[in-house]
Amino acid sequence: METLTHDGAARIRTGLFFALASATSFGMSGPLARGLMDAGWSAAAVVAARVLLAGVVLLPLAIHQLRGNWQLVRTNARLIAVYGLVAVAGTQLAFFNAVARMEVGTALLIEFAAPIAIVGWLWARHRQRPGAATIAGAALGITGLMLVLDVLSGVSLDPIGIVWALGSMVGAAAYFLLSAEGGELPGTVLAAGGLLIGGLTLLLAGTLGIVPLHATTNPAVFADFTTPWWIPILLIGIVTAAIAYVTGIAATRRLGSRLASFVALTEVLAALIFAWILLAEAPRPIQLLGGALILIGVITVRLGEPTTALGDPETPADTIEELRTPTQPGPPRIGTHPSI
C-alpha cells in the first residue's frame, strides 16, 4: 500500500509539473500574438497559424506513437473531432466574437470561469459534490482573476457578447473534460488531430467571413527588440500550442479535469510576466494581489481534492462515451488522464 501511495503521489507531482508547464506555455501566446497583430495580423490568422503549425509539428510524433495501430484513431475518431471542433476551434471563434462586443477582460473572466463549470458538471452529472475546500478555492481563484484582469474598471453587459463569452467558457471546459478521455490513445495523437481539425475549421471560418483572416510579413516589434515575423510564429506554434496542448492533456490525465482546470488559472500569471518581459507592461499592485489569490485558490483546491486508494485523484467518467451511447450511465470510472 505504501508503494501504491508513493506512486500516486509521484503521479500527482508529475501532473502538477505538466499543468504548470502547459499554463506557462499558453501564457506566452498573448504577448507574442500582440507583436504579430501590431504588425498587421488579425487575431484569427495568428490562432489559425498557431494551431495548424502545432498540428503539423506533432503529426510525425503522433504517427510514430501509434506504431501502425490505426484502430485507435478509428475508435476515437469522434473524440478527436469533437476536441478539434469544440475545444480548439469553437473556443477561439466564440472568444473572438465575444471581444468584438465587450471588454477583453470581461470576456476572459467569463472564459476562465471554466473550472466552475467543470465543478458544476461533475456535481450534476456524476454526483461528485465539491467539498468546502474546492468551493473556497474557486471563490479565491475567481476573485483573483477579477483583480488581475481589472474587470472592475469597466464591464460590458452586451447580451450577445455575454453569450459568445459563455460559449468560450464551454469550449474551455470541454478542453479539460475531453483531455481526460481516450483510454490508450496517446495524448500527442489527440492533440495533433484536434489541432489540425481546429486549424482547418478556423481557416474555413475566415474564408466564409465569420472572422477576419489576414496576415503580413512585416517585422514584429516588441519592447526591446524587433524580429522577423516567422520567429514569433514558430514560438507561438511550437511552444504555446504544440507543447502547451500536449502537456495540458498529460496533466489532465494525471490530475483529473477539475484540479487541472484550476491549476490552469496560473496562465494569467504567466501572461502577466511575459507581457512585462516582451511588451514592457509592468503589472500593477492590484494585479499582483490577484495573482496571489489565484495561487492560494489553486493550493486550496488541491488540498481539498479527494483521492482513491491508489492515491490518484478522482476524475470524471468517459464524457465522449456518453456521446456515443446515450444509454443509462453506470457509475463514473476513474480516468487516466484558452484564448490566444
Side-chain angles (χ1 to χ4, degrees):
M1 180 61 70
E2 292 181 358
T3 300
L4 292 176
T5 302
H6 179 270
D7 290 343
R11 180 182 179 84
I12 292 174
R13 287 195 298 269
T14 303
L16 289 173
F17 170 79
F18 281 134
L20 291 173
S22 178
T24 302
S25 300
F26 275 125
M28 189 187 298
S29 63
L32 288 174
R34 171 70 69 81
L36 289 167
M37 288 186 288
D38 289 345
W41 287 65
S42 67
V46 173
V47 176
R50 172 193 177 203
V51 297
L52 281 175
L53 175 59
V56 171
V57 169
L58 291 176
L59 187 58
L61 179 58
I63 292 175
H64 173 73
Q65 289 188 339
L66 281 173
R67 302 183 185 279
N69 187 8
W70 293 99
Q71 180 60 34
L72 273 177
V73 176
R74 290 189 289 270
T75 302
N76 294 279
R78 182 175 296 184
L79 167 62
I80 296 172
V82 174
Y83 186 88
L85 293 173
V86 178
V88 179
T91 305
Q92 305 295 340
L93 289 173
F95 183 76
F96 292 151
N97 282 285
V99 297
R101 296 175 175 272
M102 63 197 306
E103 289 84 358
V104 173
T106 306
L108 279 172
L109 177 64
I110 295 175
E111 180 182 1
F112 274 86
I116 308 300
I118 292 173
V119 169
W121 166 259
L122 295 178
W123 189 359
R125 184 66 184 83
H126 301 300
R127 302 296 187 267
Q128 294 184 15
R129 183 175 182 177
T134 298
I135 295 174
L140 287 170
I142 295 301
T143 302
L145 276 175
M146 292 179 66
L147 297 179
V148 170
L149 299 174
D150 197 19
V151 296
L152 298 179
S153 63
V155 178
S156 170
L157 297 178
D158 182 281
I160 298 178
I162 292 175
V163 171
W164 279 116
L166 288 173
S168 69
M169 180 193 68
V170 171
Y175 161 74
F176 291 103
L177 291 170
L178 294 174
S179 293
E181 309 300 338
E184 297 179 358
L185 183 72
T188 304
V189 178
L190 175 59
L195 288 167
L196 289 174
I197 292 173
L200 292 174
T201 301
L202 288 170
L203 286 181
L204 178 61
T207 302
L208 297 177
I210 298 176
V211 292
L213 199 67
H214 51 82
T216 72
T217 57
N218 297 331
V221 179
F222 295 94
D224 299 318
F225 62 93
T226 300
T227 183
W229 63 272
W230 54 269
I231 292 181
I233 281 292
L234 286 178
L235 289 174
I236 211 168
I238 297 173
V239 177
T240 79
I243 293 176
Y245 276 93
V246 169
T247 53
I249 292 172
T252 308
R253 290 183 171 182
R254 287 165 173 79
L255 301 177
S257 55
R258 179 166 54 196
L259 179 55
S261 67
F262 277 99
V263 179
L265 294 179
T266 57
E267 177 185 336
V268 297
L269 304 183
L272 279 179
I273 294 172
F274 286 118
W276 191 359
I277 295 173
L278 296 176
L279 306 176
E281 296 180 357
R284 299 184 300 279
I286 193 171
Q287 290 179 303
L288 296 176
L289 173 61
L293 289 178
I294 290 173
L295 290 176
I296 294 173
V298 170
I299 294 172
T300 303
V301 172
R302 167 67 191 97
L303 294 177
E305 278 293 281
T307 57
T308 67
L310 296 179
D312 294 337
E314 291 182 0
T315 54
D318 195 336
T319 303
I320 198 66
E321 186 63 28
E322 294 169 7
L323 298 176
R324 294 195 187 104
T325 56
T327 57
Q328 184 65 26
R333 65 178 177 83
I334 301 301
T336 56
H337 217 123
S339 58
I340 57 176

